[in-house]
Amino acid sequence: MEDFAVYAVFGADEPPQRIANLRGPVGRSVIEPSVPQIVLFTRGRWENCSSVSVELNDEKDMLITLSKLTPFNKCVSWELGEDGVWSDGATLNVNIEGIKTELLDPALTITQKEYTPECNTTSVAPRAGLGKRKRSRGEEEEGEDIRGQENICPNSSEKVTPQRRGKNNARTGQTRLFQQKEEQSTSRTPPIPKAKGKQQTKAPTQTDGPSGRWGQTLCPIDPQTAILIGGQGARMQFCKDPIWKLCTEDLSWVPAETLAEGPTPEARIGHTATYDPDSKRIFVFGGSKHKKWFNDVHILDTQSWRWTMVEAQGKVPPLAYHSCTLFRGELFVFGGVFPRPHPEPDGCSDSLYIFNPEMAIWYQPIVNGDKPAPRSGHSACVTQGKIFIFGGWDTPVCFNDMFMLDLCLMEFSAVQTSGSAPSPRSWHGCAVLSESHFLVHGGYNGNDALSDTFIFNTDTNCWTSLACSQLTSTPRAGHSIITMATACVKGSSDDEEQVAESQTLLIFGGGDNEGSFFSDLITMPVKELCK
């Protein structure tokens, strides 16, 4: 087979151009403003190198986007109207990494070091799935074109994120997540106004864990592991470190975007990620990116560590900020925002869609009863064969009502609650604590991010306000909350350790609507919440 090389195609009518090979591992190409699309791919044997880092810079040499080619991901593409921003021209920088030293002469090695982009990340090789390894990240990339009402915000001056509990706190740019109530538009998405032009400063350095973000998903797959997918951070940039593995034994993070085979989902926000313990697969559905809305289904098989994209039958609209719950192997998707034409840029849904993975088909069930009003940014959790839906947003209304879907009767009903109920909110966190209790934390009420915490008892339909300084000290919205069963040593008998299982609550990320995007991780035993 021919020697390894990296090729680029600039536009559909142009032939491939070789950018770099093992003898010249650093390549640079100037892109004309008229080029509508860039496709980068490799050809040849991979055993003499480990990865290829790719940088796309604008005409002022500011980073637009960063990618990496590996033996499992041998191609990447950008389009002018979506991923790329090179209306005034751009520069493509390519660097082949991990080349065996015997293939290079000393002069070539020096040249490679001098021209390696500063933002490159270190390649991590797979080891028994996602091994417990750490690597440092370069600077968080800047320059996604700011478009689309649902993802845009003002203000760009620097503000330091307060230090929270957890290992990973990063500085972020000051960016308000949401618009103040008096400025709200008629958009049914929680409104986020446009920024005043493209930022020209690099994002701060992020090390040892995910960059600060909101709108991501955190999905537990076993007692020691959770997977972080997607999100959006300072200056409303879509995170270029979109997939991470959390090892709960030592609360360490491992970058995982290059460790699984197959095409990874495109960067997005407002999507859902749902784990099926029977098939051991994560289902990623929907979300949005700028003015692009998704209705695709991506599956990560956590045994083979391979991504696949489903070619599903049936119809489901593009949705973001919806809810997705798993029951008997099927995904139940409710509500969310979907795009629609002028005069209203988007609308909220009150429809229920079910995805059957075995048949790879979407369908709408016949549902009776008192259905919830259209909404997005709500929460939904399954317990005792029922889906409980709380809160959400449909401009200008913010909800704090509760609805229940009986999955045996397929019947909706409004839940008459008692006790100290949460105030209206959307983009809050929700997690099941036991068969009869779930927790609601934080969120956004139309003006501010919230920090209060409540527990709902599904047997008594009663709310209880929880006074816990560890959870209520920091207002946040768009964060992730999960519970995980963790093993602990209870004692020993006859030289044998007795292992007990306990539940732990984890909270990651979010934003405070004052310019801070968090990358902290809060952990707390569930038994302390249910006293």
Side-chain angles (χ1 to χ4, degrees):
M1 191 173 182
E2 66 183 81
D3 291 339
F4 181 86
V6 182
Y7 296 84
V9 178
F10 302 107
D13 300 327
E14 296 297 322
Q17 301 179 24
R18 190 174 69 181
I19 304 297
N21 60 15
L22 296 181
R23 298 178 180 239
V26 178
R28 183 179 178 91
S29 183
V30 177
I31 302 167
E32 298 296 328
S34 59
V35 173
Q37 185 181 44
I38 303 170
V39 179
L40 203 71
F41 64 94
T42 66
R43 189 172 181 181
R45 305 169 72 93
W46 273 86
E47 62 263 30
N48 291 324
C49 63
S50 60
S51 63
V52 177
S53 63
V54 184
E55 245 191 12
L56 188 64
N57 295 330
D58 63 15
E59 74 284 359
K60 296 182 179 179
D61 205 30
M62 300 300 297
L63 184 66
I64 294 175
T65 188
L66 179 73
S67 188
K68 184 177 287 289
L69 303 178
T70 71
F72 307 122
N73 298 281
K74 300 178 182 180
C75 179
V76 65
S77 66
W78 298 292
E79 293 184 9
L80 177 61
E82 295 174 357
D83 301 312
V85 186
W86 59 85
S87 56
D88 295 324
T91 302
L92 181 67
N93 296 305
V94 174
N95 182 54
I96 302 176
E97 300 176 339
I99 302 174
K100 292 183 178 179
T101 54
E102 62 266 22
L103 297 175
L104 300 176
D105 58 41
L108 196 57
T109 304
I110 294 172
T111 302
Q112 180 186 9
K113 291 181 179 179
E114 289 176 348
Y115 288 92
T116 301
E118 294 180 359
C119 301
N120 290 344
T121 56
T122 304
S123 173
V124 181
R127 182 192 65 178
L130 296 180
K132 296 175 182 177
R133 295 169 300 280
K134 293 184 180 180
R135 69 176 181 183
S136 61
R137 298 292 299 184
E139 292 185 340
E140 182 183 352
E141 297 84 279
E142 162 108 18
E144 290 280 3
D145 188 20
I146 298 179
R147 302 182 296 271
Q149 183 69 16
E150 78 278 9
N151 293 321
I152 301 175
C153 65
N155 301 338
S156 59
S157 59
E158 288 293 316
K159 179 177 179 178
V160 177
T161 303
Q163 296 294 317
R164 313 293 178 199
R165 178 183 174 182
K167 301 179 181 180
N168 309 313
N169 294 282
R171 293 190 65 197
T172 58
Q174 181 177 358
T175 308
R176 295 181 67 84
L177 284 176
F178 317 106
Q179 191 175 12
Q180 293 299 317
K181 190 171 182 180
E182 61 270 17
E183 299 171 346
Q184 291 170 3
S185 67
T186 58
S187 170
R188 294 176 186 272
T189 308
I192 307 170
K194 292 186 177 181
K196 299 179 180 179
K198 181 181 176 183
Q199 305 299 326
Q200 296 296 332
T201 57
K202 294 274 187 178
T205 301
Q206 172 69 28
T207 59
D208 297 332
S211 56
R213 66 189 67 196
W214 78 289
Q216 71 287 333
T217 56
L218 187 61
C219 189
I221 62 173
D222 61 49
Q224 289 81 38
T225 312
I227 302 297
L228 173 68
I229 300 175
Q232 197 175 42
R235 305 179 187 90
M236 304 316 286
Q237 299 166 37
F238 284 86
C239 298
K240 297 301 191 307
D241 54 341
I243 304 176
W244 288 79
K245 170 195 169 185
L246 172 65
C247 302
T248 58
E249 290 179 324
D250 57 0
L251 298 182
S252 64
W253 291 97
V254 176
E257 63 268 27
T258 62
L259 298 185
E261 298 182 15
T264 58
E266 188 174 346
R268 63 191 64 197
I269 190 175
H271 56 288
T272 52
T274 311
Y275 179 67
D276 180 6
D278 293 332
S279 65
K280 300 189 184 305
R281 296 183 296 176
I282 296 176
F283 296 86
V284 177
F285 169 70
S288 67
K289 178 184 180 183
H290 302 312
K291 291 184 178 180
K292 187 174 183 178
W293 299 70
F294 300 98
N295 65 344
D296 50 359
V297 178
H298 293 261
I299 299 178
L300 176 61
D301 188 318
T302 62
Q303 292 181 302
S304 64
W305 288 109
R306 182 174 184 84
W307 283 102
T308 57
M309 182 174 174
V310 180
E311 295 184 5
Q313 303 295 315
K315 292 184 178 180
V316 64
L319 290 171
Y321 315 111
H322 52 280
S323 63
C324 183
T325 49
L326 180 76
F327 182 71
R328 293 179 179 174
E330 293 187 311
L331 303 180
F332 288 71
V333 172
F334 175 78
V337 177
F338 59 92
R340 66 184 182 192
H342 187 80
E344 292 181 280
D346 47 62
C348 281
S349 171
D350 62 354
S351 298
L352 178 68
Y353 296 89
I354 298 179
F355 178 70
N356 184 305
E358 184 177 354
M359 305 294 293
I361 188 171
W362 285 99
Y363 67 95
Q364 281 190 272
I366 298 175
V367 182
N368 300 310
D370 185 9
K371 187 162 60 172
R375 65 191 64 203
S376 65
H378 55 285
S379 62
C381 60
V382 178
T383 181
Q384 300 175 337
K386 302 169 184 176
I387 298 178
F388 289 86
I389 297 171
F390 170 74
W393 178 290
D394 187 10
T395 304
V397 179
C398 204
F399 301 103
N400 69 336
D401 52 3
M402 177 85 74
F403 283 81
M404 179 193 70
L405 174 62
D406 188 312
L407 294 171
C408 294
L409 303 175
M410 292 307 293
E411 183 176 31
F412 272 112
S413 61
V415 179
Q416 302 301 319
T417 66
S418 61
S420 178
S423 59
R425 66 194 62 206
S426 65
W427 290 344
H428 48 279
C430 178
V432 175
L433 304 180
S434 67
E435 287 188 0
S436 59
H437 294 82
F438 64 84
L439 174 143
V440 168
H441 173 265
Y444 172 65
N445 65 7
N447 286 318
D448 304 299
L450 306 171
S451 63
D452 47 3
T453 307
F454 301 84
I455 293 179
F456 185 74
N457 187 321
T458 58
D459 290 337
T460 63
N461 291 341
C462 181
W463 284 105
T464 302
S465 177
L466 186 65
C468 177
S469 59
Q470 189 173 347
L471 299 180
T472 59
S473 60
T474 306
R476 66 181 75 207
H479 50 300
S480 299
I481 299 184
I482 61 172
T483 53
M484 297 185 67
T486 54
C488 61
V489 178
K490 188 176 182 181
S492 60
S493 176
D494 298 329
D495 297 328
E496 292 185 3
E497 291 183 341
Q498 302 294 320
V499 178
E501 196 174 80
S502 62
Q503 292 283 330
T504 301
L505 182 78
L506 295 92
I507 300 178
F508 171 79
D512 66 355
N513 197 33
E514 296 296 333
S516 296
F517 292 79
F518 306 122
S519 61
D520 57 344
L521 182 67
I522 299 174
T523 64
M524 190 171 186
V526 169
K527 62 182 180 181
E528 294 186 11
L529 301 171
C530 298
K531 290 179 180 180

